[in-house]
Amino acid sequence: MSIRQSLLALLEQEPMYGYQLRAEFESRTGATWPLNVGQVYTTLSRLERDGLLEAAGQDDDGHAVYRITPSGRDEVRAWFATPVSRETPPRDELAIKLAMAVTVPGIDVRAVVQRQRTATIRALQDYTRLKAEAPEPAADGDLAWLLVLESLLFAAEAEVRWLDHCEARLARVAGDRRESAESGSDVTTIEEVRR
Amino acid sequence: MSIRQSLLALLEQEPMYGYQLRAEFESRTGATWPLNVGQVYTTLSRLERDGLLEAAGQDDDGHAVYRITPSGRDEVRAWFATPVSRETPPRDELAIKLAMAVTVPGIDVRAVVQRQRTATIRALQDYTRLKAEAPEPAADGDLAWLLVLESLLFAAEAEVRWLDHCEARLARVAGDRRESAESGSDVTTIEEVRR
DNA sequence: AGTGCCATGTAAGGAGTTACATGATTCG
DNA sequence: CGAATCATGTAACTCCTTACATGGCACT
């Protein structure tokens, strides 16, 4: 649902062609969410069918260029004016998995949590490194990518906190007194990841 | 991708029929992610086609019951053994929207951020209220729902923090000295929401 | 001359949603 | 009796992904 709007928003700046749209989208979001070219074309077709875009012939290099229509501009304005609804949030595979894990018998939920924690910490480290390598935001594109990266960081941090919370709750439910598993050299706290 | 696995996991406990599966899924995840009945049946068909399930005739009330196969059990085990990949996280409409907002000219990004913040704070309040109303987890189903709810809470908190971070960064980029917009009676901090 | 990237598509299929059709049962 | 809910589906459609077809152009 967001690709459609994004393409429209990009075309608000100037008419573009398919490959260019993908490039512009990815330069603003980094390699985080690679966008399939095929999808760009099919989405453009639907947008044209719905009257939000129109084919604008070819540019100097012979590219098939699309131009936004007035209704398209309205759509973009409406998109930015309306907050993303958090009433029915997108399904979170991890939350679903844990919800199933605690109800299905014979599953070692603590192990599931620990494995996920390791994976998420690794992601957190990757993001932190990427951020360290990122340029000071000069162009708007740099700023956009930085904001996206930071949103991933915040989300991953929250996920780790939630996993720790789950671990604690599971320990309490199991009624077992944790032997305070300091494994020693493992990176454990979010502060350590931040360096 | 997670519905498929969830249905399998539920059938690991005992054979069930379509409506029952939806009810079990929703009782574990609350009303958060309503599950379409139609999707249950189409997913069951695909799972049967793939040899992970098999039709097990009818139960005493004449319901069309499905039973998990050994390959199905393998699939479930593999699902729980593999952490959710955070390498290519699911697309976040909000992050995409802000990334587009800072690059498209003529958009009041700060206003977009503020509107979203209000919406997310509202969601946070709803979750907090739900949690206050939730029972002490006696059954496993209660625990599952509580964990899901808390995952939503953690995610919404992180979103608010990120939005504030964006706001600060945008202020810095705009080079304007914030006049410390204490609007007075607005609920602003996460601590206030916690009551 | 061949490899590889740019560019524009189409095809096939999974996943998800909304909506409709059809019967049984239950409840006021 | 009528309405609502349970139950099992099917249809149409969007969105998204993977893969393939085709052609130009550029570099070695």
Side-chain angles (χ1 to χ4, degrees):
Chain A
M1 202 64 242
S2 37
I3 297 302
R4 183 183 161 98
Q5 333 281 348
S6 296
L7 297 189
L8 262 186
L10 287 171
L11 286 170
E12 177 123 18
Q13 295 188 268
E14 53 170 344
M16 297 187 194
Y17 57 92
Y19 249 67
Q20 195 181 358
L21 280 164
R22 181 177 74 159
E24 293 290 332
F25 179 87
E26 292 192 348
S27 84
R28 281 158 177 77
T29 56
T32 321
W33 298 302
L35 178 53
N36 185 277
V37 204
Q39 196 189 343
V40 173
Y41 292 109
T42 51
T43 304
L44 285 175
S45 311
R46 278 191 290 258
L47 284 167
E48 188 182 11
R49 179 204 56 189
D50 297 343
L52 307 177
L53 295 184
E54 55 193 12
Q58 304 193 336
D59 69 2
D60 300 345
D61 296 327
H63 298 306
V65 166
Y66 285 86
R67 178 173 41 220
I68 196 170
T69 64
S71 347
R73 290 185 197 277
D74 290 348
E75 186 88 354
V76 172
R77 259 180 256 294
W79 188 47
F80 284 122
T82 315
V84 170
S85 164
R86 258 36 184 165
E87 285 169 35
T88 40
R91 284 195 192 119
D92 179 351
E93 183 179 350
L94 177 55
I96 291 178
K97 187 188 279 201
L98 278 202
M100 296 301 145
V102 296
T103 42
V104 173
I107 301 291
D108 185 350
V109 193
R110 310 275 288 271
V112 175
V113 170
Q114 283 311 312
R115 272 193 294 270
Q116 184 66 49
R117 192 182 196 280
T118 304
T120 308
I121 286 277
R122 184 143 30 234
L124 204 46
Q125 289 168 328
D126 291 346
Y127 297 148
T128 305
R129 186 162 29 75
L130 277 174
K131 187 176 167 183
E133 291 165 1
E136 266 308 289
D140 280 353
D142 295 340
L143 176 59
W145 157 233
L146 186 56
L147 292 182
V148 167
L149 184 52
E150 286 171 339
S151 105
L152 295 171
L153 261 167
F154 276 64
E157 277 187 20
E159 192 169 294
V160 171
R161 287 205 203 94
W162 178 65
L163 286 167
D164 288 343
H165 183 83
C166 288
E167 164 70 22
R169 198 177 268 288
L170 289 169
R172 215 177 326 148
V173 167
D176 84 47
R177 297 290 118 233
R178 295 272 288 115
E179 67 276 37
S180 154
E182 312 285 301
S183 335
S185 67
D186 249 87
V187 174
T188 33
T189 71
I190 288 172
E191 285 65 33
E192 278 181 80
V193 174
R194 287 193 190 283
R195 198 154 341 265
Chain B
M1 201 64 243
S2 36
I3 297 302
R4 181 183 164 97
Q5 332 282 347
S6 296
L7 297 189
L8 262 186
L10 287 171
L11 287 170
E12 177 121 19
Q13 294 189 268
E14 52 170 345
M16 297 186 193
Y17 56 92
Y19 249 66
Q20 195 182 359
L21 281 164
R22 182 178 73 160
E24 293 291 331
F25 179 88
E26 291 191 349
S27 83
R28 281 159 177 77
T29 56
T32 321
W33 299 303
L35 178 55
N36 185 278
V37 204
Q39 197 189 345
V40 173
Y41 292 109
T42 52
T43 304
L44 286 174
S45 312
R46 277 191 290 259
L47 284 167
E48 188 182 11
R49 178 203 57 189
D50 297 345
L52 307 177
L53 294 184
E54 55 193 13
Q58 304 193 335
D59 69 2
D60 300 344
D61 296 327
H63 299 306
V65 166
Y66 285 87
R67 177 174 42 220
I68 195 168
T69 64
S71 346
R73 290 186 196 276
D74 291 348
E75 186 88 354
V76 171
R77 260 180 254 295
W79 187 48
F80 284 122
T82 315
V84 171
S85 165
R86 257 39 183 165
E87 285 171 34
T88 40
R91 283 193 193 124
D92 179 351
E93 183 179 351
L94 177 54
I96 292 178
K97 187 188 276 199
L98 278 201
M100 295 301 146
V102 297
T103 42
V104 173
I107 300 291
D108 185 349
V109 193
R110 310 276 288 271
V112 175
V113 170
Q114 283 311 312
R115 273 193 294 269
Q116 184 65 51
R117 192 181 196 282
T118 304
T120 308
I121 286 276
R122 183 141 33 232
L124 203 46
Q125 288 169 327
D126 291 345
Y127 296 148
T128 305
R129 186 162 28 76
L130 277 176
K131 187 176 166 181
E133 292 165 2
E136 265 308 289
D140 279 353
D142 295 341
L143 177 59
W145 157 233
L146 186 57
L147 292 182
V148 168
L149 184 53
E150 285 171 340
S151 105
L152 294 171
L153 262 167
F154 276 64
E157 277 187 20
E159 192 169 293
V160 171
R161 288 205 202 94
W162 177 65
L163 286 167
D164 288 344
H165 184 83
C166 288
E167 163 71 21
R169 197 177 268 288
L170 289 169
R172 215 177 326 147
V173 167
D176 83 46
R177 296 292 116 232
R178 295 273 287 115
E179 67 276 37
S180 155
E182 312 285 300
S183 336
S185 68
D186 248 86
V187 174
T188 32
T189 70
I190 288 171
E191 285 66 33
E192 277 181 83
V193 175
R194 285 192 192 286
R195 195 158 343 268

